[in-house]
Each structure stands twice: as C-alpha cells, then as structure tokens.
C-alpha cells in the first residue's frame, strides 16, 4: 500500500468521535499499539484491519481512505500487499447510503471478509475475467457482465481461480448511516 497515494484518516475520525486510543482499541478490536502506528504512519493496515475500523467506528470504508486524484486523473488504486487492489469509484454518499469500489484480483488470489455490520448488502458486478463469490459456506461463480447481490453481514469472500486478472465493481449498501 503506497503511503503517497493513501492517507489513513484514523486520527481525524477518532478525534471526531472523541475517543482515546484505548477507547478506540476497545471499540474496533485493533490494538492500541497498532492504532498508534497507523496514526503516525509507521504501519500500513491490511484491508481486514480497515474493515475492523469501519465497523468499530460505524463509518464507511471510504471514510478512512483519502485517495487524492493525481493531475486530474482518477485516484490511484491501492494495493494491499498479498491482498486485493482497491480503487474508490464513488466514496460514501449519505444520500444513497452506498460507496463503490473497483477491486482487482490477480490469478489465484482470494480474499475472505469477516461479516460487516448488520444489514449491509454488497453488489458485485464482474467487469473483467471471472470470479467466485463466497456466501456463507458456498462459492458461486460470477462470470463477466453478471452480478450478485448478497447480505454482507455474514462471512463472504472473492477468489480468482483463473489464469487472468479479474476486476469487479463492489457496491456497499448500508441500511442507515454506518
């Protein structure tokens, strides 16, 4: 994950909530030491850690990411080492209660996500290649130009078992302001 294209807004979100590092650690399940390292820029969180922060602070994922466009170009995708690559397409919009990401999975890559907050729904639309989506304990094929909608408040994941990279749009719908 590149620190030049990604700012973790943890300190600002924590300050807005009026929480100490210890209180934030209790709320998110992320250690106080790790939270401090993230805030100081000494450590880059994984996508799983960002989701813990999102859930603990009741904020959308994009609240913790500030992806600045470069010279009028769209934001640079953020690659989490050994994990998925994420590009914000539309940051969280409270009017619609959603945010949209373009996610890339390299060949043979998989990502399993812990349950999100109750009522969160995800839409997945494959734009390139083919992926499989885990819902509960079953994987379902999601071919190009097809979509799946599922409850994301359960264990779920994505994998690319093909020899080519795959991309998909991932729309997160929150039942109310996260």
């Amino acid at each position: 994950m590149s620190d030049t294209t990604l700012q973790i807004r943890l300190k600002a979100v924590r300050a807005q909530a009026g929480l100490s590092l210890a209180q934030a650690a209790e709320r998110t399940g992320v250690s106080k030491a790790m939270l401090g390292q993230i805030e100081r820029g000494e450590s880059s969180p994984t996508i799983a850690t960002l989701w813990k922060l999102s859930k603990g602070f009741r904020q959308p994922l994009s609240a913790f990411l500030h992806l600045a466009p470069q010279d009028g170009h769209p934001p640079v995708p953020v690659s989490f080492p050994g994990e998925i690559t994420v590009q914000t397409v539309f940051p969280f919009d409270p009017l619609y209660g959603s945010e949209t990401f373009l996610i890339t999975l390299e060949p043979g890559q998989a990502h399993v996500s812990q349950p999100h907050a109750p009522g969160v729904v995800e839409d997945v639309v494959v734009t390139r290649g083919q992926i499989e989506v885990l819902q509960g304990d079953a994987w379902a094929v999601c071919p190009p130009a097809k979509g799946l909608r599922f409850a994301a408040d359960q264990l779920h994941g994505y994998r690319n078992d093909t020899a080519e990279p795959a991309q998909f749009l991932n729309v997160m719908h929150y039942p109310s302001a996260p």
Side-chain angles (χ1 to χ4, degrees):
M1 175 168 40
S2 170
D3 292 329
T4 60
T5 59
L6 176 70
Q7 282 183 319
I8 302 304
R9 297 190 54 247
L10 174 57
K11 192 170 187 174
V13 172
R14 183 175 63 80
Q16 185 177 17
L19 298 175
S20 68
L21 278 174
Q23 291 168 319
E26 186 175 313
R27 181 182 275 194
T28 63
V30 177
S31 75
K32 181 179 167 183
M34 177 58 75
L35 292 172
Q37 290 172 354
I38 294 168
E39 286 188 2
R40 292 187 302 273
E42 297 170 358
S43 178
S44 295
T46 64
I47 189 72
T49 299
L50 286 176
W51 275 116
K52 285 182 180 181
L53 297 174
S54 174
K55 189 174 180 181
F57 282 102
R58 301 194 65 181
Q59 295 286 323
L61 181 63
S62 58
F64 294 94
L65 302 176
H66 178 264
L67 298 167
Q70 303 289 324
D71 301 324
H73 296 286
V76 176
V78 177
S79 293
F80 295 87
E83 297 188 60
I84 60 178
T85 298
V86 179
Q87 180 176 350
T88 301
V89 176
F90 297 110
F92 179 73
D93 186 329
L95 179 65
Y96 299 109
S98 65
E99 58 190 347
T100 304
F101 303 99
L102 178 64
I103 299 178
T104 303
L105 286 173
E106 295 301 324
Q109 194 172 37
H111 173 76
V112 175
S113 181
Q114 293 301 309
H116 299 312
V120 173
V121 171
E122 289 191 29
D123 292 339
V124 172
V125 179
V126 178
T127 59
R128 183 173 125 201
Q130 176 176 296
I131 66 168
E132 293 178 68
V133 178
L134 174 65
Q135 299 174 62
D137 59 358
W139 289 93
V141 172
C142 191
K146 297 292 181 180
L148 281 174
R149 175 173 284 166
F150 58 91
D153 54 3
Q154 61 180 334
L155 185 71
H156 59 284
Y158 323 97
R159 71 180 177 197
N160 176 5
D161 280 341
T162 72
E164 298 295 324
Q167 285 187 321
F168 60 97
L169 290 170
N170 181 232
V171 183
M172 306 291 300
H173 300 279
Y174 298 94
S176 60

